[in-house]
Amino acid sequence: MTERFLQPKSVHEAMEIIQDLFNQYRNQELTNELLQYHMNLTNRLQSDIYVQALKDDDPKQLAVLNSMIEAMETWTKIKSQNRPFNYKMKNFKLISTKTTKIKRHFHKIRGNHNYHAARH
């Protein structure tokens, strides 16, 4: 019989799993089920994982965990106001996904060399 639930071996691994799950549903439309799921993950961070981080006695890990909890609460505030959420979580912090990209078209200069001219 296979295990249905993931069993992380450390606080860091648990935070990575929750971060991956968060990034999967962050842009979904807010429903009661999604809100309950999100609140369950946030409560896990604040209870089980927080207690284990205190036992590990790593202040740096505890600070990162607190910033991740704040990021999860920010999602709840923004989504409950029906505003678009233009962030993703990377390294347990929210990072804006609104970036401008510059298209670069390369024009190969004739000849036997491998020089390229960038045409922006």
Side-chain angles (χ1 to χ4, degrees):
M1 183 169 132
T2 60
E3 292 291 323
R4 181 174 172 207
F5 300 104
L6 296 172
Q7 295 293 329
K9 294 170 182 53
S10 68
V11 172
H12 187 72
E13 187 179 341
M15 289 171 59
E16 284 179 340
I17 291 169
I18 291 177
Q19 176 178 271
D20 291 341
L21 292 171
F22 174 79
N23 283 330
Q24 288 175 10
Y25 71 77
R26 66 188 162 91
N27 290 327
Q28 299 295 324
E29 194 172 318
L30 187 63
T31 61
N32 282 338
E33 294 83 19
L34 181 61
L35 185 60
Q36 288 175 353
Y37 181 75
H38 177 76
M39 294 306 289
N40 183 20
L41 291 178
T42 306
N43 289 336
R44 286 277 179 190
L45 285 172
Q46 292 171 334
S47 59
D48 309 359
I49 299 169
Y50 193 83
V51 169
Q52 186 60 41
L54 286 174
K55 286 180 186 175
D56 292 348
D57 197 32
D58 185 2
K60 192 174 181 182
Q61 182 76 36
L62 207 55
V64 171
L65 179 60
N66 284 327
S67 71
M68 185 176 180
I69 292 170
E70 287 178 26
M72 298 284 276
E73 290 170 348
T74 302
W75 181 88
T76 308
K77 290 174 188 170
I78 290 175
K79 289 301 257 187
S80 64
Q81 294 173 355
N82 245 354
R83 294 182 9 221
F85 187 76
N86 298 321
Y87 302 95
K88 71 177 184 176
M89 195 177 293
K90 185 175 180 183
N91 297 328
F92 315 116
K93 295 177 186 163
L94 290 179
I95 296 175
S96 177
T97 55
K98 279 189 150 184
T99 57
T100 55
K101 293 186 179 180
I102 299 173
K103 283 188 173 181
R104 292 177 46 187
H105 300 283
F106 286 104
H107 173 71
K108 195 165 184 180
I109 300 172
R110 292 185 184 162
N112 292 335
H113 41 74
N114 286 328
Y115 301 125
H116 294 275
R119 303 239 172 115
H120 299 280

